[in-house]
Amino acid sequence: MSKYSGALKGKVVWLTGASSGLGEAFARRLIASGCVLALTARRAEALEALVEEYAAAGMTAISFPGDITDRDRMKEIANAIREQHGAIDILVANAGTHNPTSASAFNTDDYRRLIEINYLGQLHCIEAVLPHMIERGEGHLAVVSSVAGFRGLPTAAAYGASKSALSHFLESIRFDLEPKNIAVTAIHPGFIRTPLTDQNDFPMPFLMEAPAAADRMYQHIVERRLESHFPRRFTYIVKAFSLLPYALYRAVIKRVVLHERG
Ligand SMILES: NC(=O)c1ccc[n+]([C@@H]2O[C@H](COP(=O)([O-])OP(=O)(O)OC[C@H]3O[C@@H](n4cnc5c(N)ncnc54)[C@H](OP(=O)(O)O)[C@@H]3O)[C@@H](O)[C@H]2O)c1
């Protein structure tokens, strides 16, 4: 048991992308937190399995399957959670996806899809909770972006652009929301071992296991940090690269990333 066990006791948390990878590990991490957990993803069976794990531990989790690109469904889910549990204290907007792109086979559809899921889909969930948080004068948005959004990386034009938009959005809305007592935590993971990264065919430096990543994320959300990034050995390197003037950044990425990928 960590010092943060039970830290979210009685809080109502809505977690998206709970059926797999980082979200699934985070849902398991929350079992010891004492919260009431609402789970969303498209695969209902995977959510039901988590609901059963919660029940076995004497905790409450409820499954609300849905696609985050469906704006009305996200509002419907948020309303249902509020009807059953009074309010949503924390939104952990984690659902997202990636597919590598190459400008040599350019197709706007690849870009539209990632913007619709990773950016607009995340906004649909925020839209579904924010007016009520503002009304209550209390709330917390914890949103999973990526270090891939910091600067342009090879094969990540679509993914990086969607995550960059999301991180930019979070930085901006924080100015409006902090005075209203609504915390905004931007989550910037490096490489985490999940079904998503299992598809990568290149070396992933400092690859972190999902339960360890979920631990970091949990601690940072409990502390209501502005930013959560992990594994820090990797994310600090990416942050340092991001501060370089473009010509130098380009040279470093060509040498380090493209050389590694062969
Ligand atoms: N793994 C990494 O190294 C890494 C690094 C940086 C950032 N991230 C971010 O971390 C988040 C989780 O990624 P992961 O690695 O855990 O990937 P994952 O194992 O593929 O999990 C993605 C989750 O998002 C859900 N999802 C995807 N599209 C959805 C949609 N349209 N509507 C509802 N749910 C949807 C999936 O559920 P269903 O398929 O059941 O809908 C699944 O639960 C993503 O935002 C990703 O960009 C991951």
Side-chain angles (χ1 to χ4, degrees):
M1 289 279 153
S2 80
K3 64 175 176 163
Y4 288 113
S5 294
L8 302 181
K9 196 167 171 47
K11 299 280 184 201
V12 177
V13 179
W14 181 22
L15 169 67
T16 70
S19 62
S20 167
L22 185 56
E24 184 183 357
F26 189 69
R28 293 219 168 82
R29 180 64 187 82
L30 285 182
I31 292 183
S33 76
C35 74
V36 170
L37 182 60
L39 304 158
T40 292
R42 290 163 302 182
R43 283 169 290 168
E45 328 76 58
L47 301 182
E48 283 307 328
L50 283 166
V51 168
E52 281 171 26
E53 280 184 41
Y54 265 69
M59 304 300 299
T60 305
I62 322 112
S63 155
F64 292 98
D67 186 324
I68 62 166
T69 63
D70 183 343
R71 185 179 181 182
D72 291 340
R73 176 67 185 142
M74 292 307 109
K75 286 186 181 161
E76 198 177 275
I77 290 174
N79 285 338
I81 300 168
R82 279 188 293 267
E83 270 163 30
Q84 290 177 29
H85 298 287
I88 297 169
D89 296 295
I90 307 173
L91 166 67
V92 183
N94 159 76
T97 195
H98 171 50
N99 58 281
T101 47
S102 164
S104 313
F106 187 81
N107 178 347
T108 303
D109 290 339
D110 296 334
Y111 294 76
R112 179 174 291 112
R113 178 170 166 269
L114 289 194
I115 286 288
E116 280 176 356
I117 298 172
N118 292 347
Y119 183 55
L120 295 175
Q122 296 278 59
L123 266 55
H124 293 159
C125 301
I126 291 169
E127 183 185 34
V129 299
L130 195 49
H132 300 268
M133 287 182 174
I134 291 172
E135 204 177 292
R136 291 175 73 216
E138 195 180 325
H140 188 169
L141 307 174
V143 184
V144 179
S145 184
S146 170
V147 293
F150 291 171
R151 289 201 62 178
L153 287 166
T155 73
Y159 182 71
S162 68
K163 293 296 190 178
S164 184
L166 187 60
S167 296
H168 189 113
F169 164 82
L170 295 170
E171 271 195 10
S172 179
I173 61 166
R174 188 179 289 119
F175 290 112
D176 297 336
L177 297 180
E178 268 177 351
K180 299 184 190 304
N181 193 31
I182 296 165
V184 178
T185 301
I187 301 169
H188 291 128
F191 288 113
I192 314 300
R193 192 191 305 277
T194 68
L196 197 67
T197 50
D198 285 346
Q199 297 165 33
N200 290 346
D201 58 2
F202 52 81
M204 292 179 277
F206 303 105
L207 182 67
M208 192 178 202
E209 298 302 322
D215 255 359
R216 294 283 86 72
M217 205 165 119
Y218 175 74
Q219 181 193 332
H220 299 160
I221 289 174
V222 168
E223 292 170 349
R224 289 168 77 96
R225 288 199 190 176
L226 300 180
E227 192 196 14
S228 169
H229 62 97
F230 46 82
R232 282 185 300 182
R233 278 178 303 167
F234 179 66
T235 49
Y236 276 129
I237 294 171
V238 182
K239 280 171 182 278
F241 281 6
S242 303
L243 296 174
L244 297 174
Y246 179 67
L248 194 53
Y249 171 79
R250 176 174 156 273
V252 168
I253 295 297
K254 278 176 89 169
R255 188 169 176 84
V256 177
V257 180
L258 292 181
H259 178 75
E260 283 268 310
R261 294 186 187 184

